[in-house]
Amino acid sequence: MALSGNLSETSFTDLIQFYNISRQTAALTVVSPAGPEHDVVVFMENGEIIDARFGEMGGIDAVRRAMRLREGEFHVELNVAAKKRTIWESCNKLLLDEMVSDDEAQNGAGKGAGATAAGPEKIVIPKKQPPPPPQRRSSFPVILASAAVAAAAVGGAMWWRSQQEAAAATARQAALATQRQAETRTRPTVQGVTDSEIVFGMAAPFSGPAKELGRGMKTGIDLAFAAANDAGGVSGRRLRLVALDDGYEPERTRSVMKDLAESRNVFGFIGNVGTPTAEVAVPFTLEKKMLFFGPFTGAGLLRRDPPDRYVFNYRASYAEETAATVKYLVTVRRVAVDEIAVFAQQDGYGDAGFNGVAKMLRKYNRNPERILRVGYKRNTGDVNDAVSTLLRSRHPVRAVVMVATYKAAAKFIDKVKAERPDIVFSNVSFVGSQALADELMSYGGKVAEGVIVTQVVPLPQSKATAVLRYQELLPKYSLGEKPDFVSLEGYLAASLLIEGLKRAGRHFTTETLVDALEDLRALDLGVGATMGFGMSEHQASHKVWGTVLDASGNFQTIDME
C-alpha cells in the first residue's frame, strides 16, 4: 500500500520518525520541484535507515540533505527492501543530530550585527599585542567573578537548549500522533482484520464419509498459520482459522458460509473442500467480494477463463490429473482407448473428472458418448449397481479412471478385483490418498497393490525442502499426525496465502491483497516446481505427480511419461 503527500504538510523528518517508531520497512521517495538532481529515496528496515540517495549523493549525507527539504511530493511504499546497506548509524541519532542542527541554524540566524546572510558571525583573532604593564592590585577576584559569570551563562545556555529540544520533541510527537489519527480515520475498516489478528473461515466436512479430507486440509493450514504466528505473525498480526462442518452437503455449506461471513466476520475463506459444495460457496463469495483461496477441488468452475477475481487455486485441475492418467494408460500401459471406463460420483465432482477424461480421449479420437460411465450417490458407499454394470459390459474393460471419495472407491475396487484382478484402477487426488490406502488395506494387501493415484503435491515422505519443513512442523503443532497428501496440500496452499499477505503490507484490504497475489510470480516453495499467479492466471501449480500403492499400503512414485 502506498502513502502520498506533500512536504509542505508533513515534513520529511516527521515521516522518518513515524516509520522509525512503528518499526516498519519502507521506501520513502521525494520528487523535488527543483529537478531530478534533488530527488530523494530513503530505505528503512524495521524502523532503521539503511540506505539513501539524494540525486548523485548517497549514505548519511543524503539523509541529512533530505531532512532539510521543505518542498516536494513524497511517496511511501511499504515492505520495499534496499539492495544493500550503506548506513549503520541509528535512526534516533540521525534525527537528534538534525534537531540540533536546526536549532543551531535558528540561533545563528537570530544573532545581532555580527551575523550576516552569508552565515554566522566570523571570529577575528587579533594580532599579538605586547603584555600590559604589571598592576599593583591582584586580578584573582576579577578572574573568579568572570569565571562565575561564564559558568552561569553556560549553564543557562545548556538549560535553554534542553528546553528547546524537549519542546521540539513534544511537537514532533504531537504531529506524529495527529498523522496516525488521520491515517486511522481515513483507513477503511476491514472485516476479520484487527490490530492483532487476521481471521479466515473454512467450510469443510468434519463428519460423514469425507471427514478425513476436511480434517487433513485443516491440519495443513493450521501448521502454516502456527509457524507464521510463532515467527511474529504477518505484519505483527496472528492468523486464525475458524473451521465449520458442512458434512460435504451443499445445503449445509450455504448456511455455514453465511455464518462464517456474517456472524463470525471472517476476512476470507481458505481450504474449503469439495466441488458440489463449491457450487454454492463460490457464488456466495463472489457476491460479497470475499477471498476464496486454495479450495480442495480441481473443478473447472473455480478455473474460469478469464478467472474470477476473488478465486485463487493452489492445485492442478481434475482435467490436468485425468489427462495425465489417460495419457499414461494409453502410451505407457498400452490400454486401448475403448477399454477405459469411468467410475465417478454422481454430482459436480464426478462430472468435472469425467469431462477431463472425455476431453483427453477426444484427442485419441474416442467419442465421449461411447465411454462407459458408472457411479454412486455422494456420501454413500452404494456401489453395487456400478460394479454390476461394469462387469456386465459387452466391451472388455482394462482400466477404470475413478473420480470418487475414499470409502466408495475402496469398496468398488474390492468388489471389481474379486472378479477382474487384471483391471488397472486410478483415482484423482481428491480421493484422499492415505484414507484410501487405509480403507484398501482393511480389505487386504492384494486389493491395494497397483492402485494408482495422481497427486498435486510431492510424496509427504520425500526430502524436498518444503516437505521437510512440513515434516518438522507436524510433531510440533499436530502431535500424532502422520505426513499425508491432503494436509501437505493444506500447508502449501496456506504458505502461498501467507506470502501474498506479507507482500500486501499491513494496511491491506481484499482488493489490495488480490492485487498482491496477482503480482506473485515464480515463487519457489521447494516442491520441485515454481508457482505463482497473474491477472489471467489464478492457479498457482499445474504439476501432477504419479503414485502407486504397494501391497503394504505405501505409495511409491511412478513416471507417468
Side-chain angles (χ1 to χ4, degrees):
M1 176 180 178
L3 174 69
S4 300
N6 196 293
L7 293 184
S8 63
E9 300 171 351
T10 304
S11 73
F12 199 71
T13 304
D14 284 346
L15 282 173
I16 292 290
Q17 192 167 9
F18 173 73
Y19 289 103
N20 170 251
I21 292 171
S22 58
R23 310 300 298 170
Q24 297 195 54
T25 297
L28 287 65
T29 304
V30 175
V31 179
S32 173
E37 65 274 13
H38 295 278
D39 288 351
V40 175
V41 60
V42 173
F43 292 93
M44 301 188 69
E45 186 173 302
N46 295 324
E48 292 295 331
I49 301 173
I50 64 170
D51 187 27
R53 293 193 302 276
F54 188 115
E56 296 183 355
M57 184 185 300
I60 292 178
D61 291 339
V63 175
R64 288 171 175 158
R65 287 285 298 275
M67 289 182 178
R68 296 170 190 174
L69 287 176
R70 297 296 179 264
E71 295 182 342
E73 298 287 334
F74 69 80
H75 307 280
V76 181
E77 292 185 79
L78 297 178
N79 301 315
V80 176
K83 294 182 179 179
K84 62 179 180 179
R85 182 163 193 166
T86 61
I87 299 172
W88 300 95
E89 288 197 33
S90 73
C91 186
N92 287 333
K93 183 178 184 304
L94 292 172
L95 288 167
L96 182 59
D97 288 347
E98 182 58 25
M99 289 170 59
V100 171
S101 176
D102 281 348
D103 291 341
E104 289 175 348
Q106 291 171 8
N107 290 339
K111 290 184 183 296
T116 68
E121 177 184 3
K122 294 183 180 179
I123 300 174
V124 180
I125 302 176
K127 295 181 180 180
K128 189 173 182 180
Q129 301 292 334
Q135 302 291 326
R136 291 183 180 181
R137 294 179 61 186
S138 171
S139 61
F140 182 75
V142 176
I143 295 173
L144 184 62
S146 299
V149 171
V154 171
M158 292 179 65
W159 176 84
W160 177 250
R161 170 59 57 80
S162 68
Q163 294 295 336
Q164 284 186 312
E165 289 180 355
T170 301
R172 292 184 191 280
Q173 291 293 342
L176 287 172
T178 301
Q179 181 179 347
R180 286 194 291 269
Q181 290 172 2
E183 287 186 351
T184 301
R185 284 194 300 271
T186 58
R187 190 181 306 142
T189 301
V190 181
Q191 176 175 300
V193 180
T194 68
D195 287 341
S196 60
E197 70 174 6
I198 308 169
V199 185
F200 286 92
M202 176 185 183
F206 299 105
S207 62
K211 64 182 180 182
E212 290 302 311
L213 305 181
R215 192 178 69 83
M217 281 297 286
K218 183 179 184 300
T219 296
I221 296 168
D222 283 341
L223 283 184
F225 280 14
N229 290 341
D230 276 2
V234 178
S235 298
R237 294 189 180 98
R238 295 179 64 80
L239 302 172
R240 181 161 64 90
L241 180 67
V242 179
L244 299 182
D245 182 19
D246 67 5
Y248 195 41
E249 289 292 352
E251 285 306 314
R252 290 179 62 183
T253 303
R254 194 183 311 277
S255 61
V256 165
M257 294 291 288
K258 186 177 177 65
D259 185 1
L260 288 167
E262 298 177 5
S263 298
R264 312 295 179 113
N265 296 317
V266 301
F267 169 78
F269 296 88
I270 180 173
N272 278 30
V273 173
T275 301
T277 50
E279 291 173 348
V280 173
V282 170
F284 179 87
T285 54
L286 293 179
E287 180 183 350
K288 289 187 170 292
K289 296 184 177 180
M290 297 179 71
L291 185 71
F292 193 76
F293 193 92
F296 188 60
T297 171
L301 71 95
L302 296 103
R303 294 163 173 80
R304 302 190 192 280
D305 185 14
D308 293 323
R309 176 166 172 79
Y310 305 102
V311 178
F312 288 83
N313 299 284
Y314 158 76
R315 57 166 29 238
S317 67
Y318 293 146
E320 289 169 314
E321 287 192 69
T322 52
T325 299
V326 171
K327 183 179 178 182
Y328 169 76
L329 292 172
V330 173
T331 62
V332 178
R333 300 295 290 265
R334 300 300 180 185
V335 177
V337 293
D338 57 354
E339 296 176 328
I340 298 175
V342 175
F343 170 67
Q345 189 166 281
Q346 294 168 345
D347 60 9
Y349 165 46
D351 293 342
F354 177 80
N355 291 337
V357 175
K359 183 177 180 179
M360 191 61 183
L361 284 177
R362 202 177 291 121
K363 294 182 179 180
Y364 291 104
N365 298 319
R366 176 65 169 168
N367 185 349
E369 294 180 359
R370 301 185 63 182
I371 300 173
L372 175 63
R373 174 178 176 173
V374 296
Y376 68 102
K377 291 182 179 180
R378 180 180 60 250
N379 275 343
T380 74
D382 186 6
V383 300
N384 291 332
D385 288 346
V387 172
S388 177
T389 301
L390 182 77
L391 295 177
R392 290 200 317 265
S393 173
R394 291 181 297 175
H395 198 85
V397 174
R398 288 185 54 208
V400 179
V401 180
M402 300 186 296
V403 189
T405 52
Y406 57 92
K407 284 188 176 294
K411 186 175 289 188
F412 179 79
I413 293 170
D414 177 58
K415 289 181 176 295
V416 173
K417 270 198 170 186
E419 301 291 332
R420 293 284 308 279
D422 58 313
I423 290 182
V424 179
F425 294 91
S426 174
N427 210 326
V428 294
S429 57
F430 183 85
V431 69
S433 301
Q434 191 56 53
L436 174 65
D438 293 342
E439 286 287 327
L440 288 171
M441 289 305 293
S442 69
Y443 294 114
K446 289 185 177 180
V447 177
E449 188 174 12
V451 173
I452 299 166
V453 181
T454 50
Q455 308 291 353
V456 295
V457 297
L459 276 177
Q461 295 79 20
S462 70
K463 304 303 179 184
T465 300
V467 181
L468 288 174
R469 175 63 174 152
Y470 156 80
Q471 293 168 1
E472 292 171 1
L473 295 174
L474 270 175
K476 184 175 182 180
Y477 300 113
S478 296
L479 188 63
E481 290 285 345
K482 295 180 180 179
D484 169 70
F485 290 97
V486 180
S487 61
L488 177 56
E489 180 174 340
Y491 169 74
L492 293 174
S495 298
L496 265 177
L497 176 60
I498 291 168
E499 184 63 30
L501 286 166
K502 289 178 179 177
R503 299 193 184 196
R506 180 168 176 82
H507 305 306
F508 69 93
T509 64
T510 299
E511 301 302 328
T512 60
L513 175 57
V514 168
D515 291 340
L517 288 169
E518 288 185 335
D519 199 38
L520 192 62
R521 311 287 171 81
L523 181 67
D524 190 352
L525 290 179
V527 296
T530 58
M531 54 191 68
F533 301 111
M535 293 180 67
S536 299
E537 174 60 278
H538 280 202
Q539 180 177 304
S541 174
H542 294 268
K543 177 77 172 177
V544 176
W545 287 266
T547 62
V548 62
L549 277 168
D550 60 22
S552 299
N554 298 316
F555 282 98
Q556 310 295 332
T557 56
I558 57 172
D559 187 354
M560 300 192 73
E561 295 292 333

